[in-house]
Amino acid sequence: MDRRQFLSIAFLSSITSSTLVGAAPFGLHIQKKKNSMERKSNNVTPIAICTWAFSNASKQAGEALERNAAALDAVIIGVAVEEANLKNTTVGKGGTPDREGNVTLDACVMAPNGDCGAVACVENITHVAALARKVMENTPHFMLAGKGAEEFAYANGFKKENLLTETATQQWKEWLKTSEYKPIINIENHDTIGMLAIDAQGDIAGACSTSGLSYKMKGRVGDSPIIGSGLFLDNDVGGAVGTGMGEEILKTVGSFLIVELMRQGYSPQKACEEAVHRVVTKNPDHTNFQVAYIAMNKAGEIGSYCIHSGFAMMKYQDGKNETITSPSFLK
Ligand code: GLY
């Protein structure tokens, strides 16, 4: 982690602490739950998983869990690593802009007690998953969008930042020369970060954060801030997150589908496969876009599946941070 990412995460801890109580040894704070809930141990050591080979994200989240962070704190810490990573052109600061040169971000979070929050089409704020958590905790609403979300961020201590880097500006200007209208999803290396964690108490939380499709239409919002599509979990069952072509994930409500299949007894792997098959069956154009899911059940079993090969997930557990290549529908 470089100094800028470290400072960014330190800032995150500071804005989070205003609604938290009880200092933990690593500078985070243990969350005071809004709705108290029985915590059930499921005899699983803490796990953090995330989409793509975002190894530093899973490591930071996993290490936070080992220091007894709550699952929700851990996923916010994990996705913040990629939100601050200028080399990541699909999440946070450094993300690819829309076709008019605006970087607009989408994110959501979901807590073990079923509470959730989201922000959509937000400009000038790097840590949008943390902002989504603020929406969940400090407003009576589920989602804030656009200028309203941005103003809410400033009112809650987030700083204004220019998210459009010099590199992204140059690439956008290059894209303008042809202005290829059709959205091209990156099918090979990275996209949205979706993360799930089980903490030492056995509770599951999740977060999802993205800059969305490269050169999307102004105002376009994808699956990532939509609970049930980009992210869904049930603390009694497990969770799922999606990455890839948001429109396809939205049309099949993929993450909700996976959790409901796990509720019926599917393994996380089989549930991810079924959700990808649903997309493939419904859309003959599926060779032209990527959709990928990862899932984890309450027992800590994981799975992943995607349309195109090239997708991988990260898993951190018991001090081991592994990259797991996903099986795919198209070989
Ligand atoms: N999955 C990210 C998006 O479509 O916006």
Side-chain angles (χ1 to χ4, degrees), residues 117-198:
V119 291
C121 213
V122 185
E123 295 181 57
N124 302 313
I125 304 294
T126 298
H127 292 299
V128 280
L131 183 59
R133 180 184 185 162
K134 287 285 181 193
V135 173
M136 175 179 83
E137 292 177 340
N138 294 359
T139 80
H141 306 304
F142 159 64
M143 180 187 284
L144 294 178
K147 284 285 169 219
E150 194 178 334
E151 285 162 19
F152 174 75
Y154 302 140
N156 281 273
F158 289 73
K159 68 171 193 264
K160 182 168 186 168
E161 294 186 84
N162 178 14
L163 305 182
L164 186 63
T165 59
E166 195 47 46
T167 309
T169 305
Q170 291 314 320
Q171 287 167 349
W172 170 57
K173 286 184 176 161
E174 214 31 58
W175 175 83
L176 280 176
K177 289 179 186 166
T178 55
S179 297
E180 173 81 48
Y181 190 83
K182 189 173 187 285
I184 308 283
I185 202 78
N186 185 333
I187 62 170
E188 281 178 355
N189 53 17
H190 59 97
D191 185 73
T192 306
I193 181 163
M195 180 172 272
L196 297 165
I198 297 182

Side-chain angles (χ1 to χ4, degrees), residues 106 185 191-192 210 212-213 220 222-224 242-247 249:
D106 300 334
I185 202 78
D191 185 73
T192 306
T210 192
L213 287 177
R220 181 264 186 190
D223 61 304
S224 300
T243 177
M245 182 65 88
E247 283 73 6
I249 296 170

Side-chain angles (χ1 to χ4, degrees), residues 51 57 70 90 98 147 166 173 195 198 226 239 257 296 302:
T51 53
T90 49
D98 65 19
K147 284 285 169 219
E166 195 47 46
K173 286 184 176 161
M195 180 172 272
I198 297 182
I226 308 297
L257 173 62
M296 178 162 65
I302 62 165

